[in-house]
Amino acid sequence: FLKMGEYIPADGEIIKGEASIDESSVTGESQPVIKGAQGDHTSVISGSLVVSDEITVRITADMGKGFLDKMITLIEGARRKKTSNELALSIFLSGIAIVFLMVVCSLKIFSLYFHIHIPLVTLAALLVCLIPTTIGGLLSAIGIAGINRLMQKNVLAMSGQAIEAAGDIDVILIDKTGTITIGNRQAFAMVQNKFVLEIDCARVCYLASLEDNTPEGKSIREYMKNHYPDIEQEEAVWDVRKKPIIIPFSAKTRMSGVDLGGIEYRKGAQDAIEHFVGTPVPLDLSAEIKKISRKGGTPILVATKDKIYGVVFLKDIVKPGLVEKFAKLRSMGQKIVMITGDHRLTAAAIAKEAGVDDFLAEATPEHKLEYLKEIQSHNYTVAMTGDGVNDAPALAHADVGVAMSSGTQAAKEAGNMIDLDSNPTKLFAITQIGKQLLMTRGSLTTFSIANDLAKYFAILPAIMIPYFPEMEIFNVMRLATPQSSILSAVIFNALVIVALIPLAFQGVTFVPQEPAKLLRKNLLNYGLGGVLVPFLGIKFIDIILHRMGWF
């Protein structure tokens, strides 16, 4: 037995009563649906909310085979793969480390062949200086910095890998209800019957919603107060003299309103209002209703017992700032696709208004997941945003799954990021921070590898000069002694990691530009800098050690 405000605990069918049910969190359909014991719409889904009336439901789903159980199965099968950048860096660093290890081992064999003695500690120093210890020591700092920068934008990242994947996003899948749109339909316009005054129609709209505290009812009152300020003052006088009799929304009547001063004010669906008044909708209003439906909106008629006054246009409101942000994401080479459980007419209208590249309508959780996997099969990195139970499987399989904080717990558990402001425009900031993380890591990797050139000229001559004096020509830095050369290189290797920590935390400045131009800039700044800085640093440390009399 379920009443208004309660959630349906398991899949079943209504055997008694009729109610308005909000299935948006499980189907993505933003408008509540009327279901009852009679007719074609008797089945209900676990997780749906009863928003009016009372119903009795017989549970029909077997244990472990309901809607939520299917969602759990789809989510549990998710395994996020490593990004191409992460794989490339792992292979590169591992390869470099193996090559340098082989070089050091070959020096030991070389020393045995020529009957010379190279101390093990010297070979260890060479290995430590040549393998990519700098970037290895800074990777964690770069990841922590990325998480911290996202936190400043009110986004919780569950892992550094999620931020890294954000820098490689190719396609963004965005849920409509609660993500692109506010989630509740709002009053957008009012059209009055040509036989009544506009102010009279506005007054009936306001009074019919006087005690309706649903988001739609509040939006109608707000719209009327904003466009007709005198209505609220007028009503304040009436409210002192007359107490309204509240008529709550019922799935049976499909209307709501108040009885005030002997007058019945009602708002509801077209057929319900026609039955209430006893006359059909005027032709001019009927044409307006069709226009509203074609735009994907919901027409709500308002009337008294003797007359139909007009229609209120309720629509999904696109969150402010989305069009501009989507344009910026598109300029970075990312495709934006809106996904919704709504019918194509509504989806097309919202997609056009929001400025997305494409849309997928009437999508079930399985359809969303199949669509996402199809894109990933072409080696694209996919980001998904959503807030409902129906979004959870796709969020779990996406490379970057951004759940809205205002959404369901299932969505937040499935994603690897949570937007605390529930604003999909955050994707622009998330993408920027992801690209900045990749740039920072790439820059420091370039710097680290370039360092090896100076370390070669510091340590290798120091090892060989005692046995092969002619190799003095390679001591281009003119380091004091072989011992000071090796120690200077080791000290520099340790200090440079500490010196680069602030850059790892701050990150390289991100400026959207062509990859080729960015690569040239990186090689110039961090490649050439990585060669010059250690030459100067090692020489400076060697001078200090020599002057202190250590060597």
Side-chain angles (χ1 to χ4, degrees):
F1 177 70
L2 298 164
K3 55 185 178 181
M4 184 175 66
E6 293 183 339
Y7 285 91
I8 296 169
D11 297 0
E13 61 180 14
I14 301 173
I15 59 173
K16 183 179 179 182
E18 191 175 26
S20 176
I21 299 174
D22 180 3
E23 297 181 338
S24 59
S25 67
V26 294
T27 65
E29 178 69 49
S30 58
Q31 188 175 3
V33 292
I34 307 296
K35 293 190 174 184
Q38 306 297 323
D40 298 329
H41 302 288
T42 61
S43 62
V44 290
I45 308 171
S46 55
S48 304
L49 175 67
V50 179
V51 295
S52 75
D53 302 284
E54 298 175 348
I55 52 174
T56 302
V57 175
R58 178 190 292 118
I59 302 303
T60 58
D62 293 334
M63 183 70 70
K65 295 184 178 180
F67 173 81
L68 290 180
D69 298 298
K70 292 178 183 177
M71 295 301 98
I72 291 170
T73 301
L74 291 174
I75 292 168
E76 285 180 337
R79 292 292 183 273
R80 285 190 175 93
K81 62 180 182 180
K82 289 187 175 182
T83 65
S84 55
N85 269 300
E86 188 179 6
L87 287 171
L89 183 66
S90 298
I91 293 169
F92 177 71
L93 294 181
S94 300
I96 289 291
I98 291 170
V99 167
F100 287 140
L101 181 61
M102 292 173 64
V103 168
V104 172
C105 291
S106 66
L107 282 175
K108 185 63 178 175
I109 297 171
F110 176 82
S111 68
L112 294 173
Y113 181 79
F114 284 97
H115 303 289
I116 60 178
H117 175 66
I118 301 177
L120 186 61
V121 68
T122 301
L123 294 175
L126 178 63
L127 180 63
V128 168
C129 289
L130 293 184
I131 62 174
T133 51
T134 304
I135 187 61
L138 293 173
L139 282 177
S140 297
I142 296 170
I144 291 169
I147 292 173
N148 182 59
R149 279 195 290 276
L150 271 183
M151 190 65 186
Q152 292 173 5
K153 299 289 185 181
N154 257 11
V155 178
L156 291 178
M158 306 306 178
S159 67
Q161 183 184 5
I163 308 173
E164 183 177 318
D168 280 333
I169 292 173
D170 300 302
V171 181
I172 299 174
L173 308 182
I174 302 184
D175 174 55
K176 179 186 79 71
T177 307
T179 308
I180 286 181
T181 62
I182 292 174
N184 298 306
R185 297 188 174 223
Q186 307 284 303
F188 180 72
M190 180 195 76
V191 181
Q192 78 272 15
N193 183 343
K194 64 180 180 180
F195 298 108
V196 302
L197 296 175
E198 182 179 351
I199 187 64
D200 290 337
C201 180
R203 184 181 296 110
V204 174
C205 288
Y206 184 85
L207 292 173
S209 304
L210 187 64
E211 297 295 331
D212 183 358
N213 290 319
T214 64
E216 291 82 2
K218 290 177 181 178
S219 75
I220 292 174
R221 291 202 303 271
E222 196 65 30
Y223 179 88
M224 298 308 155
K225 286 191 290 184
N226 290 338
H227 290 78
Y228 310 95
D230 294 338
I231 283 181
E232 190 175 24
Q233 297 173 3
E234 185 179 346
E235 174 51 31
V237 176
W238 293 352
D239 199 35
V240 173
R241 298 197 305 252
K242 308 167 185 177
K243 284 192 174 182
I245 299 172
I246 302 168
I247 309 298
F249 177 83
S250 167
K252 186 175 183 180
T253 63
R254 299 179 68 192
M255 294 188 302
S256 66
V258 296
D259 292 346
L260 187 64
I263 302 175
E264 300 174 71
Y265 299 95
R266 297 289 186 273
K267 70 174 190 295
Q270 179 179 347
D271 55 347
I273 292 295
E274 286 177 334
H275 179 74
F276 173 71
V277 178
T279 58
V281 172
L283 292 176
D284 61 315
L285 277 186
S286 181
E288 291 295 333
I289 290 169
K290 290 178 181 178
K291 285 181 183 178
I292 292 171
S293 297
R294 282 197 296 271
K295 293 177 181 178
T298 302
I300 298 292
L301 273 71
V302 293
T304 59
K305 191 64 178 173
D306 59 348
K307 188 183 298 182
I308 296 175
Y309 277 77
V311 60
V312 177
F313 180 3
L314 294 182
K315 65 167 291 187
D316 282 330
I317 303 296
V318 174
K319 292 181 178 179
L322 280 183
V323 177
E324 295 78 10
K325 292 291 185 180
F326 286 165
K328 288 183 179 180
L329 288 169
R330 199 174 294 108
S331 69
M332 295 168 65
Q334 295 169 349
K335 182 180 179 181
I336 303 163
V337 180
M338 183 187 79
I339 298 183
T340 178
D342 286 342
H343 56 78
R344 287 191 62 84
L345 200 63
T346 302
I350 297 298
K352 183 178 179 180
E353 185 178 350
V356 299
D357 298 306
D358 200 358
F359 68 89
L360 179 67
E362 300 176 350
T364 64
E366 290 82 2
H367 288 155
K368 293 180 183 182
L369 185 55
E370 288 171 10
Y371 186 74
L372 183 144
K373 287 184 174 180
E374 172 65 22
I375 297 172
Q376 287 178 325
S377 68
H378 293 89
N379 293 322
Y380 289 127
T381 301
V382 183
M384 169 76 187
T385 68
D387 64 340
V389 175
N390 60 319
D391 300 317
L395 285 170
H397 285 79
D399 299 290
V400 181
V402 184
M404 301 294 108
S405 180
S406 59
T408 60
Q409 187 63 28
K412 288 183 276 191
E413 292 286 348
N416 54 10
M417 290 188 187
I418 300 175
D419 179 7
L420 299 179
D421 294 329
S422 300
N423 186 350
T425 61
K426 288 284 185 68
L427 279 167
F428 184 67
I430 291 171
T431 301
Q432 279 191 318
I433 291 170
K435 288 186 179 298
Q436 185 183 32
L437 184 146
L438 291 179
M439 284 177 58
T440 302
R441 198 179 63 184
S443 299
L444 294 181
T445 301
T446 303
F447 185 88
S448 175
I449 300 303
N451 275 198
D452 289 340
L453 182 61
K455 295 169 188 175
Y456 269 123
F457 281 98
I459 299 179
L460 283 180
I463 294 174
M464 297 301 177
I465 287 173
Y467 310 104
F468 304 98
E470 57 271 18
M471 292 195 69
E472 178 67 33
I473 192 174
F474 292 105
N475 185 17
V476 294
M477 287 183 277
R478 295 294 181 259
L479 302 177
T481 65
Q483 292 81 3
S484 70
S485 300
I486 296 170
L487 185 58
S488 297
V490 172
I491 292 174
F492 174 82
N493 193 71
L495 292 178
V496 75
I497 297 176
V498 178
L500 290 173
I501 287 175
L503 179 60
F505 277 120
Q506 183 179 351
V508 175
T509 303
F510 172 73
V511 180
Q513 54 187 237
E514 294 178 4
K517 186 176 180 181
L518 190 62
L519 180 61
R520 287 195 299 270
K521 182 181 176 182
N522 246 359
L523 289 175
L524 180 63
N525 292 345
Y526 295 95
L528 185 59
V531 172
L532 296 178
V533 169
F535 271 99
L536 298 173
I538 292 172
K539 178 61 178 177
F540 180 71
I541 295 170
D542 179 73
I543 291 172
I544 293 176
L545 293 177
H546 186 62
R547 289 188 176 180
M548 291 177 66
W550 287 13
F551 296 101

